[in-house]
PDB file of all heavy atoms in Angstrom:
ATOM      1  N   PHE R  44     -36.970 -69.330 -22.033  1.00  0.00           N
ATOM      2  CA  PHE R  44     -35.986 -69.549 -22.946  1.00  0.00           C
ATOM      3  C   PHE R  44     -36.011 -71.001 -23.422  1.00  0.00           C
ATOM      4  O   PHE R  44     -35.934 -71.357 -24.569  1.00  0.00           O
ATOM      5  CB  PHE R  44     -34.514 -69.272 -22.322  1.00  0.00           C
ATOM      6  CG  PHE R  44     -33.394 -69.827 -23.217  1.00  0.00           C
ATOM      7  CD1 PHE R  44     -33.167 -69.144 -24.418  1.00  0.00           C
ATOM      8  CD2 PHE R  44     -32.684 -70.906 -22.812  1.00  0.00           C
ATOM      9  CE1 PHE R  44     -32.014 -69.610 -25.171  1.00  0.00           C
ATOM     10  CE2 PHE R  44     -31.626 -71.320 -23.605  1.00  0.00           C
ATOM     11  CZ  PHE R  44     -31.334 -70.656 -24.732  1.00  0.00           C
ATOM     12  N   PHE R  45     -36.237 -72.027 -22.459  1.00  0.00           N
ATOM     13  CA  PHE R  45     -36.315 -73.328 -22.702  1.00  0.00           C
ATOM     14  C   PHE R  45     -37.468 -73.682 -23.519  1.00  0.00           C
ATOM     15  O   PHE R  45     -37.500 -74.436 -24.491  1.00  0.00           O
ATOM     16  CB  PHE R  45     -36.284 -74.138 -21.470  1.00  0.00           C
ATOM     17  CG  PHE R  45     -34.998 -74.197 -20.765  1.00  0.00           C
ATOM     18  CD1 PHE R  45     -34.948 -73.847 -19.468  1.00  0.00           C
ATOM     19  CD2 PHE R  45     -33.783 -74.677 -21.357  1.00  0.00           C
ATOM     20  CE1 PHE R  45     -33.696 -73.852 -18.668  1.00  0.00           C
ATOM     21  CE2 PHE R  45     -32.566 -74.547 -20.735  1.00  0.00           C
ATOM     22  CZ  PHE R  45     -32.521 -74.276 -19.384  1.00  0.00           C
ATOM     23  N   LYS R  46     -38.518 -72.879 -23.249  1.00  0.00           N
ATOM     24  CA  LYS R  46     -39.822 -73.158 -23.984  1.00  0.00           C
ATOM     25  C   LYS R  46     -39.600 -72.755 -25.511  1.00  0.00           C
ATOM     26  O   LYS R  46     -40.028 -73.533 -26.377  1.00  0.00           O
ATOM     27  CB  LYS R  46     -40.975 -72.296 -23.347  1.00  0.00           C
ATOM     28  CG  LYS R  46     -42.260 -72.759 -23.800  1.00  0.00           C
ATOM     29  CD  LYS R  46     -42.698 -74.159 -23.248  1.00  0.00           C
ATOM     30  CE  LYS R  46     -44.079 -74.448 -23.673  1.00  0.00           C
ATOM     31  NZ  LYS R  46     -44.513 -75.831 -23.205  1.00  0.00           N
ATOM     32  N   VAL R  47     -38.989 -71.690 -25.762  1.00  0.00           N
ATOM     33  CA  VAL R  47     -38.717 -71.272 -27.110  1.00  0.00           C
ATOM     34  C   VAL R  47     -37.812 -72.259 -27.831  1.00  0.00           C
ATOM     35  O   VAL R  47     -38.088 -72.440 -29.013  1.00  0.00           O
ATOM     36  CB  VAL R  47     -38.124 -69.814 -27.045  1.00  0.00           C
ATOM     37  CG1 VAL R  47     -37.584 -69.415 -28.536  1.00  0.00           C
ATOM     38  CG2 VAL R  47     -39.186 -68.756 -26.668  1.00  0.00           C
ATOM     39  N   CYS R  48     -36.812 -72.740 -27.142  1.00  0.00           N
ATOM     40  CA  CYS R  48     -36.049 -73.679 -27.670  1.00  0.00           C
ATOM     41  C   CYS R  48     -36.811 -74.971 -28.260  1.00  0.00           C
ATOM     42  O   CYS R  48     -36.554 -75.469 -29.348  1.00  0.00           O
ATOM     43  CB  CYS R  48     -34.958 -74.259 -26.855  1.00  0.00           C
ATOM     44  SG  CYS R  48     -33.696 -73.107 -26.420  1.00  0.00           S
ATOM     45  N   LEU R  49     -37.811 -75.384 -27.414  1.00  0.00           N
ATOM     46  CA  LEU R  49     -38.674 -76.597 -27.806  1.00  0.00           C
ATOM     47  C   LEU R  49     -39.632 -76.065 -28.975  1.00  0.00           C
ATOM     48  O   LEU R  49     -39.823 -76.898 -29.905  1.00  0.00           O
ATOM     49  CB  LEU R  49     -39.508 -76.949 -26.547  1.00  0.00           C
ATOM     50  CG  LEU R  49     -38.749 -77.618 -25.447  1.00  0.00           C
ATOM     51  CD1 LEU R  49     -39.657 -78.025 -24.407  1.00  0.00           C
ATOM     52  CD2 LEU R  49     -37.799 -78.647 -25.837  1.00  0.00           C
ATOM     53  N   ILE R  50     -40.204 -74.964 -29.074  1.00  0.00           N
ATOM     54  CA  ILE R  50     -41.046 -74.456 -30.010  1.00  0.00           C
ATOM     55  C   ILE R  50     -40.259 -74.411 -31.353  1.00  0.00           C
ATOM     56  O   ILE R  50     -40.755 -74.917 -32.348  1.00  0.00           O
ATOM     57  CB  ILE R  50     -41.706 -73.087 -29.615  1.00  0.00           C
ATOM     58  CG1 ILE R  50     -42.592 -73.114 -28.430  1.00  0.00           C
ATOM     59  CG2 ILE R  50     -42.304 -72.390 -30.939  1.00  0.00           C
ATOM     60  CD1 ILE R  50     -43.077 -71.837 -28.005  1.00  0.00           C
ATOM     61  N   CYS R  51     -39.044 -73.820 -31.343  1.00  0.00           N
ATOM     62  CA  CYS R  51     -38.296 -73.761 -32.629  1.00  0.00           C
ATOM     63  C   CYS R  51     -37.832 -75.232 -33.063  1.00  0.00           C
ATOM     64  O   CYS R  51     -37.502 -75.291 -34.130  1.00  0.00           O
ATOM     65  CB  CYS R  51     -37.064 -72.862 -32.290  1.00  0.00           C
ATOM     66  SG  CYS R  51     -37.547 -71.172 -32.132  1.00  0.00           S
ATOM     67  N   SER R  52     -37.858 -76.118 -32.141  1.00  0.00           N
ATOM     68  CA  SER R  52     -37.507 -77.481 -32.574  1.00  0.00           C
ATOM     69  C   SER R  52     -38.661 -78.367 -33.023  1.00  0.00           C
ATOM     70  O   SER R  52     -38.551 -79.377 -33.432  1.00  0.00           O
ATOM     71  CB  SER R  52     -36.813 -78.197 -31.410  1.00  0.00           C
ATOM     72  OG  SER R  52     -35.589 -77.562 -30.863  1.00  0.00           O
ATOM     73  N   GLY R  53     -39.767 -77.739 -32.943  1.00  0.00           N
ATOM     74  CA  GLY R  53     -41.124 -78.363 -33.359  1.00  0.00           C
ATOM     75  C   GLY R  53     -41.593 -79.485 -32.353  1.00  0.00           C
ATOM     76  O   GLY R  53     -42.223 -80.364 -32.773  1.00  0.00           O
ATOM     77  N   ILE R  54     -41.226 -79.304 -31.131  1.00  0.00           N
ATOM     78  CA  ILE R  54     -41.467 -80.380 -30.210  1.00  0.00           C
ATOM     79  C   ILE R  54     -42.792 -80.021 -29.325  1.00  0.00           C
ATOM     80  O   ILE R  54     -42.860 -78.835 -28.935  1.00  0.00           O
ATOM     81  CB  ILE R  54     -40.287 -80.504 -29.180  1.00  0.00           C
ATOM     82  CG1 ILE R  54     -39.278 -81.335 -29.918  1.00  0.00           C
ATOM     83  CG2 ILE R  54     -40.776 -81.273 -27.884  1.00  0.00           C
ATOM     84  CD1 ILE R  54     -37.978 -81.508 -29.074  1.00  0.00           C
ATOM     85  N   THR R  55     -43.619 -80.980 -29.137  1.00  0.00           N
ATOM     86  CA  THR R  55     -44.828 -80.765 -28.210  1.00  0.00           C
ATOM     87  C   THR R  55     -44.557 -81.871 -27.103  1.00  0.00           C
ATOM     88  O   THR R  55     -44.069 -83.059 -27.486  1.00  0.00           O
ATOM     89  CB  THR R  55     -46.041 -81.069 -28.914  1.00  0.00           C
ATOM     90  OG1 THR R  55     -46.095 -82.407 -29.602  1.00  0.00           O
ATOM     91  CG2 THR R  55     -46.436 -80.079 -29.953  1.00  0.00           C
TER      92      THR R  55
END
Side-chain angles (χ1 to χ4, degrees):
F44 172 72
F45 291 126
K46 194 69 176 177
V47 168
C48 289
L49 296 184
I50 292 172
C51 290
S52 301
I54 287 177
T55 58

